[in-house]
Amino acid sequence: MPNKMWHLKNCDLFARLMPEQIERLEMRSRSRSFRARSPIYLPSEKADSVFLLTKGLVKVCNHTPDGKQSILAFVEPGELFGELALFADAAREEYVEAVEAATVVMIPAVELQELMSQHGGVAFAITKMIGLRRSRIERRLKNLLFLSNRDRLIHLLLDLAEQFGAVADDGIRLRINLAHQEIANLLGSTRETVTILLGQLRAEGFIHVGRRKIVLTDPQRLSQTVHRKIPYQLLT
């Protein structure tokens, strides 16, 4: 079975499609690999396709007016990105970069639009995925406006635990490796501030910090400091 078809068939978004529908998507899509830290697409490029990440990790970014990088979201295998091509025939506004070596399947937007119109389950799954990602971004924007740097960092660590957390003997390990500057880019803060705040949380027994590794050692108590509940599955 061709790699593209295997990835499409084993993606939760397309799991309920008929074999002929998968085959049609496969025939009209193409696969491409990217090295770590290489761009997948740039602002102003034509938005005529949607990307399915099949391997690796990518980040969706914007540049602020003063030239700094703002990270909007991280995308894991099995997720789509570039999805605004489904709703507007316009140029890309954001840019996407491979955090680590990545492989994507590029699906023409018109094909996915047609499939969504024919298959309510696919339309619902894609809409749900987009809504979840947008809600995370909106929550970070609200936090940026109303919360202190410390509380924003705590919310970010809890967000990352929900998306990338793995329960371990010493707490919740984040499967994503982030430098302090990348955390600052997510927070709208500075690397120096992030370093100080992570040191405070570590001294208070909330986290353990290694080389680009973070473990939430007491996630329940940490979440209580910002009056937030964490998913039950992360407590077991």
Side-chain angles (χ1 to χ4, degrees), residues 161-220:
E162 290 182 12
Q163 187 177 4
F164 299 104
V167 177
D169 292 339
D170 53 351
I172 299 176
R173 292 180 175 269
L174 301 186
R175 294 181 286 104
I176 184 171
N177 302 327
L178 295 176
H180 289 189
Q181 184 60 60
E182 290 175 309
I183 297 175
N185 292 345
L186 283 161
L187 285 178
S189 186
T190 65
R191 181 180 58 81
E192 293 78 11
T193 297
V194 167
T195 300
I196 292 171
L197 291 174
L198 287 174
Q200 291 176 356
L201 294 177
R202 178 173 56 186
E204 294 169 27
F206 290 117
I207 63 172
H208 172 73
V209 182
R211 181 174 175 80
R212 298 172 68 96
K213 295 282 188 181
I214 298 178
V215 179
L216 277 58
T217 53
D218 195 344
Q220 189 164 17

Side-chain angles (χ1 to χ4, degrees), residues 47-62:
D48 58 1
S49 59
V50 179
F51 296 78
L52 170 66
L53 183 66
T54 62
K55 177 184 176 183
L57 182 73
V58 305
K59 58 183 178 181
V60 183
C61 312
N62 267 332

Side-chain angles (χ1 to χ4, degrees), residues 122-170:
V122 172
F124 176 78
I126 291 175
T127 302
K128 182 179 178 180
M129 184 205 66
I130 294 171
L132 179 60
R133 184 178 300 155
R134 295 291 156 178
S135 68
R136 287 175 182 153
I137 295 173
E138 288 176 5
R139 182 164 59 189
R140 286 217 316 273
L141 290 175
K142 290 178 182 178
N143 291 346
L144 181 63
L145 291 173
F146 301 114
L147 298 183
S148 66
N149 279 323
R150 177 188 169 96
D151 284 356
R152 278 156 44 202
L153 176 59
I154 291 172
H155 276 288
L156 175 63
L157 292 175
L158 294 172
D159 286 344
L160 293 173
E162 290 182 12
Q163 187 177 4
F164 299 104
V167 177
D169 292 339
D170 53 351

